Amino acid sequence: MHDEALELLSAFLDGEVVDSRALAEALSQPGAREALRDWTLLRAELQDGAKPSPAFYARMDVSLVRAAEPWWRRAVPIPWPALAAAGGIVLAMVLFAGRERPEAPPFPTRTFTFEEGVEWHAQS
C-alpha cells in the first residue's frame, strides 16, 4: 500500500473531507482493510472517554494568550532576591570607584623604641 493511500485513509478516519474517487481507489488497494481495522482498534483503545478538567482548559487559555503576546508584554516573574543582590553590587562598585587608593603605605609620624630589660624582658 502506498503512503499517499495511507494518508488518505487516515484523513478519512479523522473526519477530514477527502476526494471520494481517491478514497475508493485507496480502499481497493491491498492492505487498506487491515489498516482501517488496526487504526480503529487503536483509536478505541486510546479513547477512554475522559475529558480534560475545566482547570486544564483555563490554564491552557492563559498559556495560549501569553504565547500570542509579544515578548515585551509578557508578565515574567521578577527574581527579587537576585535583582536586589545585583543592585547592591552595582551600588558598592559606584561607591568604591571614586575613592583614591594610596600607592604606598603612609609615612610614620612617630617611632617607638623599646630597650630590652627596661620596657620588656626576654623569656627563655
Side-chain angles (χ1 to χ4, degrees), residues 76-88:
V76 179
I78 300 173
W80 291 110
L83 194 60

Side-chain angles (χ1 to χ4, degrees), residues 13-70:
L13 193 62
D14 290 339
E16 296 178 21
V17 177
V18 295
D19 182 29
S20 57
R21 289 186 183 140
L23 179 62
E25 247 180 71
L27 287 170
S28 67
Q29 291 187 8
R33 180 182 176 278
E34 290 81 12
L36 282 176
R37 181 197 64 211
D38 292 344
W39 289 336
T40 305
L41 290 173
L42 182 63
R43 183 175 285 198
E45 285 291 322
L46 293 177
Q47 194 173 23
D48 60 357
K51 286 183 140 181
S53 67
F56 171 78
Y57 285 115
R59 285 193 314 267
M60 287 306 295
D61 285 344
V62 169
S63 297
L64 292 174
V65 167
R66 283 187 64 203
E69 290 179 350

Side-chain angles (χ1 to χ4, degrees), residues 64-120:
L64 292 174
V65 167
R66 283 187 64 203
E69 290 179 350
W71 64 269
W72 64 86
R73 283 198 189 165
R74 292 185 196 150
V76 179
I78 300 173
W80 291 110
L83 194 60
I89 290 171
V90 169
L91 181 63
M93 289 173 62
V94 167
L95 291 177
F96 289 113
R99 291 192 176 185
E100 294 181 21
R101 293 179 191 90
E103 295 296 324
F107 188 74
T109 56
R110 294 188 291 177
T111 57
F112 295 97
T113 56
F114 298 103
E115 292 182 28
E116 185 177 354
V118 179
E119 283 92 17
W120 62 279

Side-chain angles (χ1 to χ4, degrees), residues 1-10 25-26 29-32 35 39:
M1 188 162 197
H2 298 309
D3 289 340
E4 296 86 19
L6 285 174
E7 288 180 22
L8 186 73
L9 290 175
S10 175
E25 247 180 71
Q29 291 187 8
W39 289 336

